Amino acid sequence: LTSYKKFIFSDNKQLSKKDIGKKVNDSLLILLKSVLPKESEKKYYLIDLFYQSCLPCVKSIPFLNTLAKDSLLKNLQVIGIDPVERDTLNMDKFIKRYKIVYPIIKGNTAIAIWNYIKNSSYPTTLLISNTGELLRFHNGLSENEFDKIKKDVK
């Protein structure tokens, strides 16, 4: 985690719905973009904070896969972030089992991102513009929320 110390914030502020419309810390965007391929530069980033044994998290995967594969949402990059799983082999099995089609960030990078967002429930989804504006923040699983995200991104 040492190499990510500059991304861990000391203000202990937890992001919430109250932050919608505000700009997130530039370090969060830098960190996200650093782990994605250059060709995945998008207008919007949908961040899904989850962990493997969370049933609502697992139930959200088909919705996230649909968003990631939707050809009308070319400006959207779905990103899964698991700050709990450390074992790459376990994660690879999980990705294959649930046929996940979007990148999953784990390990130190996931922990650094989680330390910024400081969410207290799973799953948590955030929609962030590539300029850093927090557009949506949602705790829990809601098909309705995924429909709203589609409308925002189109």
Side-chain angles (χ1 to χ4, degrees):
L1 194 57
T2 307
S3 63
Y4 292 102
K5 274 189 178 169
K6 65 181 177 182
F7 296 110
I8 297 176
F9 307 95
S10 59
D11 63 1
N12 290 326
K13 181 184 179 295
Q14 179 178 1
L15 284 179
S16 70
K17 287 186 176 187
K18 291 183 243 173
D19 295 309
I20 292 174
K22 295 179 183 174
K23 190 166 171 42
V24 299
N25 190 303
D26 286 338
S27 296
L28 177 61
L29 278 179
I30 291 167
L31 187 56
L32 285 171
K33 290 177 182 182
S34 74
V35 294
L36 295 171
K38 290 286 184 218
E39 62 273 7
S40 68
E41 182 72 24
K42 303 289 183 173
K43 190 173 181 181
Y44 302 100
Y45 298 98
L46 180 63
I47 300 170
D48 175 55
L49 289 142
F50 76 99
Y51 66 96
Q52 292 181 33
S53 58
C54 161
L55 187 58
C57 298
V58 172
K59 286 183 175 184
S60 70
I61 292 170
F63 299 107
L64 294 164
N65 274 339
T66 298
L67 290 174
K69 292 189 291 186
D70 191 328
S71 62
L72 298 175
L73 303 176
K74 292 177 187 163
N75 285 323
L76 176 68
Q77 175 66 61
V78 177
I79 306 164
I81 298 175
D82 182 348
V84 177
E85 184 58 59
R86 298 258 184 215
D87 187 326
T88 302
L89 186 58
N90 282 346
M91 183 57 75
D92 290 343
K93 288 177 185 177
F94 181 79
I95 290 168
K96 285 180 186 172
R97 179 178 180 191
Y98 292 102
K99 300 178 176 118
I100 296 172
V101 299
Y102 48 89
I104 301 291
I105 299 170
K106 59 191 175 303
N108 291 343
T109 307
I111 291 168
I113 293 168
W114 182 87
N115 276 321
Y116 172 68
I117 298 168
K118 296 185 187 304
N119 70 304
S120 58
S121 65
Y122 294 91
T124 296
T125 53
L126 298 91
L127 182 63
I128 300 174
S129 73
N130 65 355
T131 60
E133 182 182 356
L134 180 62
L135 303 170
R136 290 208 166 272
F137 182 96
H138 185 77
N139 288 319
L141 172 64
S142 167
E143 288 182 47
N144 188 34
E145 188 64 22
F146 291 114
D147 290 337
K148 290 176 184 176
I149 289 167
K150 278 178 144 178
K151 287 179 185 174
D152 287 348
V153 173
K154 285 184 181 175

